[in-house]
Amino acid sequence: GNATTFTFNDAAEGQRYCFAVAAYSAGPRLGEQSVEVCSEPSGNRPPTLTNPGNQSNAVGVALTLQLHGSDPESSPVTYSATGLPAGLTLDTNTGFISGTPPTVGTVSTHATVSDGNLSTTQAFTWTIAAGLPGVATTLRPTGAIATTTPTFEWESVATATSYRLWVDDASSTDPR
């Protein structure tokens, strides 16, 4: 009709309801729907989820992240996530994320906790960066050097693209 108010009296206890309104005219021609407004089921409040903050990890390195969610009524919660970096998985019952990301990149991640009726989502950015190369282990010389023209040798590092050798004298002052 042409009323601009309505009282909804048929709500079932514990049920969530969402409402929207749209204008229409003869034809009928229906206008756009308003923003939806939802009721909270009696006694049920949405669960909470702590935002883990933006994450930054190295490619090829195993990582873990524990999501922390809870329900105000102590109902069990489940977790879900979209936009996890490749190689990572989420345990939907515990909120534990683990894995080894194989590629470099930045993704927008959305983690959600649900009590079965209501849910809460937190968004954060997850950056997987190129890792530092491993440590180069000196093979020779070792100990004191008896020559002024030593030859240095070290183990190769699979992720290294080049090496830098530092040579310093035994003085207590570092050169600049």
Side-chain angles (χ1 to χ4, degrees):
N2 61 0
T4 58
T5 62
F6 178 79
T7 302
F8 183 70
N9 292 318
D10 296 326
E13 186 68 27
Q15 179 65 44
R16 183 177 192 217
Y17 293 93
C18 295
F19 305 89
V21 64
Y24 69 94
S25 60
R29 294 185 334 200
L30 189 60
E32 286 190 42
Q33 191 172 341
S34 69
V35 172
E36 195 172 72
V37 177
C38 296
S39 68
E40 296 299 332
S42 177
N44 189 21
R45 294 171 288 165
T48 60
L49 178 62
T50 302
N51 191 316
N54 293 336
Q55 300 292 306
S56 182
N57 300 94
V59 69
V61 176
L63 64 89
T64 62
L65 175 67
Q66 178 64 58
L67 297 176
H68 297 283
S70 63
D71 183 70
E73 290 81 40
S74 298
S75 296
V77 295
T78 57
Y79 298 85
S80 60
T82 59
L84 286 176
L88 301 186
T89 58
L90 167 70
D91 183 317
T92 59
N93 293 313
T94 65
F96 189 72
I97 298 171
S98 62
T100 303
T103 55
V104 171
T106 299
V107 294
S108 292
T109 303
H110 292 81
T112 301
V113 64
S114 173
D115 66 5
N117 282 324
L118 301 174
S119 61
T120 300
T121 299
Q122 296 287 350
F124 57 99
T125 300
W126 208 321
T127 300
I128 304 300
L132 294 175
V135 175
T137 303
T138 304
L139 298 175
R140 66 182 179 100
T142 59
I145 301 171
T147 179
T148 58
T149 58
T151 298
F152 295 91
E153 184 180 357
W154 52 88
E155 289 182 356
S156 67
V157 176
T159 57
T161 57
S162 62
Y163 298 92
R164 178 181 288 177
L165 176 66
W166 277 267
V167 177
D168 195 1
D169 62 18
S171 72
S172 60
T173 305
D174 284 335
R176 296 224 181 236

